[in-house]
Amino acid sequence: MASPAPQVQIIDKLDHTKQYIVTLHDAYPLPPLAKGNIRIRSRIISLTLNNFTYAQLGHVLGWWNVWAAIPSLPAPYDDPSKYGRISAWGYCEVTESENDKIPVGTQLYGYIPIGDYPETLQVVVDDETGHILETTERRAGLMHIYNRYQPSPPGVDPLSADRSSAAWDSVARALGETGYLLNRYAFGWDKTKVVNPSGASLPWSSDDADLTDAVVIFFGASGKTALSLAHQLRRARPTEHQPRKLVAVGSAKSRDFTEGTGLFSDVLLYEDLASGTDASIAAKLGIDANTKVLLANFSGRGTADQELRAALTRVSKSVAILMVGGDPTGNGSGLGNMPRSVLQCSASHLRDAALEMDGAAAFFENSAREWNRFKEDVAAKAMKLQWGKGLEEYSQGWDALCNGSVDPTLGLVYEI
Ligand SMILES: NC(=O)c1ccc[n+]([C@@H]2O[C@H](COP(=O)([O-])OP(=O)(O)OC[C@H]3O[C@@H](n4cnc5c(N)ncnc54)[C@H](OP(=O)(O)O)[C@@H]3O)[C@@H](O)[C@H]2O)c1
């Protein structure tokens, strides 16, 4: 029986809220695979604000170029100056293989296509970890985290073995690792292993990394990346190196959820900190001139973080600003409009440094342990999975996330 025509999500490169599900009627037959290559097909994909970042910054960081042009893509979507494809975290299956080390049926976790068009990967297998590394010239400029695929144990099907666990992996494992990397390395307590949040090429001292007795403010605290850092700071750090307070800042809509996680000392609204005198802001946050403050933005809404930053620097002698993600509408604070003093988080560069210091086997073992703790402590207790099926439902989820109507308790995940 002939396979049904595959579909892909196409995005307007200037406006990620305009997206199209395009059917590839002439996709088959696919060209033959070269020796060593594999073909993959997505099975579970996720949707969070992180996907919007891939579209908004794709032109700078190469995220529009992950997949080769599809010969059967119809006009006008075949114009790469206007349209493109990004990717999602999730699971895919190896459907064809010309690589002796990778059998057909292998299940991979990684950065995968949004659609069911089978894509070709040019790969090598890393001997130390068994991970599969993508080596195409087209992807050489991508940060390394996007070129690594982690196989499931042989015979384990993510859609049947432990479906919820695989779904949470898809929704938030990469985001959870960001929290782990920030806690363990960028703000680590082991003085021999501290790394600038942007990576090892920039200076960073153990004093910079020290969060002992600090106040950490999470702007956009209800998102999965923010929660993973809060969880790490509270549950995976020696007590004597813990911050004094974790303050969540968010919208009224996410307030109950954020409080319910039990991770934060205080939960404030964006508007609570957008105005007021320096003294009133200092009182709300419980800080004074000698308090070390870290203000971390995880795609919080608007520009209130900028006014807050100005107030904080007038109040405290020691303020660090960390940009993990910008306002998802593109109209507020963003990576592109921050002063040089703002620290930019790069999970991929942090991971590169961690692999160098700890070795790949130890790093992935530790990171997986911490991710499993997050799944048990936060995802399973405070959040719910919302499953969808197929690309049409994925595109409905995309629209809902664009118009801000997705409940913060949900992890959106799709069987493709
Ligand atoms: N730099 C790095 O290496 C790195 C690594 C991982 C993630 N990130 C970035 O971190 C940011 C957070 O990503 P995430 O995937 O963790 O986010 P997420 O889980 O999807 O965040 C959801 C929260 O974001 C807030 N939000 C703001 N605007 C929204 C909108 N239009 N629709 C829905 N929610 C909105 C909501 O909180 P409120 O209602 O309270 O505002 C919501 O609860 C992204 O910018 C991502 O790219 C960066």
Side-chain angles (χ1 to χ4, degrees), residues 142-222:
L142 269 187
M143 287 185 272
H144 297 155
I145 208 165
Y146 303 103
N147 282 335
R148 181 181 286 264
Y149 292 86
Q150 303 186 33
S152 300
V156 173
D157 180 347
L159 270 171
S160 53
D162 188 348
R163 196 174 142 94
S164 298
S165 180
W168 281 119
D169 292 346
S170 305
V171 171
R173 182 169 171 182
L175 310 174
E177 187 178 307
T178 305
Y180 172 68
L181 288 161
L182 287 168
N183 178 51
R184 193 67 189 78
Y185 301 96
F187 300 100
W189 57 96
D190 178 344
K191 293 185 177 185
T192 64
K193 288 188 180 172
V194 296
V195 183
N196 186 294
S198 298
S201 62
L202 291 171
W204 197 243
S205 70
S206 53
D207 282 347
D208 294 325
D210 187 12
L211 288 183
T212 309
D213 206 30
V215 171
V216 182
I217 305 165
F218 291 72
F219 209 75
S222 59

Side-chain angles (χ1 to χ4, degrees), residues 47-54 56 146 171 174-175 178 220-226 249-255 257-258 270 297-301 323-329 335 344-348 383 400-410:
L47 178 54
T48 74
L49 291 183
N50 194 37
N51 295 86
F52 292 175
T53 305
Y54 297 135
Q56 288 166 334
Y146 303 103
V171 171
L175 310 174
T178 305
S222 59
K224 287 115 201 136
T225 315
V249 187
S251 71
K253 193 175 161 193
S254 66
R255 183 180 195 143
F257 164 64
T258 308
Y270 295 121
N297 192 341
F298 298 86
S299 70
R301 297 175 198 256
M323 195 67 174
V324 183
D327 174 295
T329 64
L335 290 169
Q344 311 273 358
C345 170
S346 169
S348 187
M383 304 177 78
L401 199 60
C402 286
N403 67 35
S405 60
V406 174
D407 189 306
T409 56
L410 296 178

Side-chain angles (χ1 to χ4, degrees), residues 223-263:
K224 287 115 201 136
T225 315
L227 292 176
S228 76
L229 176 60
H231 177 254
Q232 280 285 296
L233 291 173
R234 279 292 174 246
R235 309 278 154 80
R237 197 173 175 93
T239 317
E240 65 274 22
H241 294 292
Q242 293 220 357
R244 169 153 48 98
K245 283 174 82 170
L246 306 187
V247 181
V249 187
S251 71
K253 193 175 161 193
S254 66
R255 183 180 195 143
D256 289 350
F257 164 64
T258 308
E259 267 174 0
T261 63
L263 294 170

